[in-house]
């Protein structure tokens, strides 16, 4: 059973940086797609960034140039480096994964099977 555990959330001021991590069990050596989503009360969950096993990436427009997704293929730990954070980045961030052989880094939540519990990111002005 694949389990995803996020860490690294916290509170920062506008312009600050945070690095989120997602430890994945039972995915090692299996082709996969992984992503970060975020959710704020009153809004729909939105895909932030995605990456495939071969390194293809995709970013949502509001985070392009500020967020960087990466993955350690040795243990499938997923990272999200967030810079120049804004109050509108405040949300619960979720790690998602699917064990599939693909080159398509999807930001559609329906393309993911496994989900973490989330980690809170709060950006104050």
């Amino acid at each position: 059973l694949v389990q995803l555990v996020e860490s690294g959330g916290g509170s920062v001021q506008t312009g600050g940086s945070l690095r989120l991590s997602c430890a994945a069990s039972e995915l090692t050596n299996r082709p996969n797609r992984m992503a970060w989503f975020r959710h704020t009360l009153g809004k729909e969950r939105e895909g932030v960034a995605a990456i495939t096993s071969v390194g293809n990436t995709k970013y949502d427009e509001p985070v392009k140039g500020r967020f960087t997704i990466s993955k350690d293929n040795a243990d499938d730990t997923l990272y999200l480096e967030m810079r120049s954070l804004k109050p509108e980045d405040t949300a619960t961030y979720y790690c998602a994964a699917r064990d599939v052989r693909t080159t398509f880094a999807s930001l559609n939540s329906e393309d993911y099977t496994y989900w973490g519990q989330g980690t809170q990111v709060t950006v104050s002005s």
Side-chain angles (χ1 to χ4, degrees):
L1 178 65
V2 175
Q3 291 185 315
L4 306 175
V5 179
E6 303 97 336
S7 61
S11 297
V12 296
Q13 292 189 326
T14 297
S17 301
L18 281 174
R19 187 192 196 203
L20 305 183
S21 300
C22 172
S25 64
E26 305 299 327
L27 264 183
T28 305
N29 296 322
R30 291 156 62 178
N32 59 69
R33 170 200 289 141
M34 299 185 76
W36 290 98
F37 288 79
R38 64 186 180 187
H39 182 247
T40 304
L41 284 177
K43 292 185 178 181
E44 291 189 4
R45 179 171 52 188
E46 59 180 354
V48 175
I51 189 168
T52 67
S53 294
V54 296
N56 293 347
T57 59
K58 185 173 185 177
Y59 295 90
D60 196 22
E61 197 64 36
V63 308
K64 281 183 179 179
R66 299 189 298 121
F67 291 11
T68 302
I69 189 171
S70 61
K71 185 159 70 77
D72 184 340
N73 284 325
D75 60 7
D76 282 309
T77 300
L78 184 69
Y79 301 98
L80 185 68
E81 193 77 40
M82 304 186 294
R83 301 178 299 277
S84 301
L85 283 162
K86 305 175 181 179
E88 50 263 46
D89 294 318
T90 295
T92 301
Y93 283 71
Y94 297 89
C95 173
R98 181 173 179 180
D99 48 346
V100 60
R101 187 179 300 277
T102 180
T103 59
F104 178 50
S106 172
L107 293 179
N108 186 337
S109 61
E110 294 183 357
D111 290 331
Y112 294 88
T113 308
Y114 309 106
W115 294 84
Q117 293 300 307
T119 185
Q120 179 66 34
V121 171
T122 302
V123 185
S124 58
S125 57

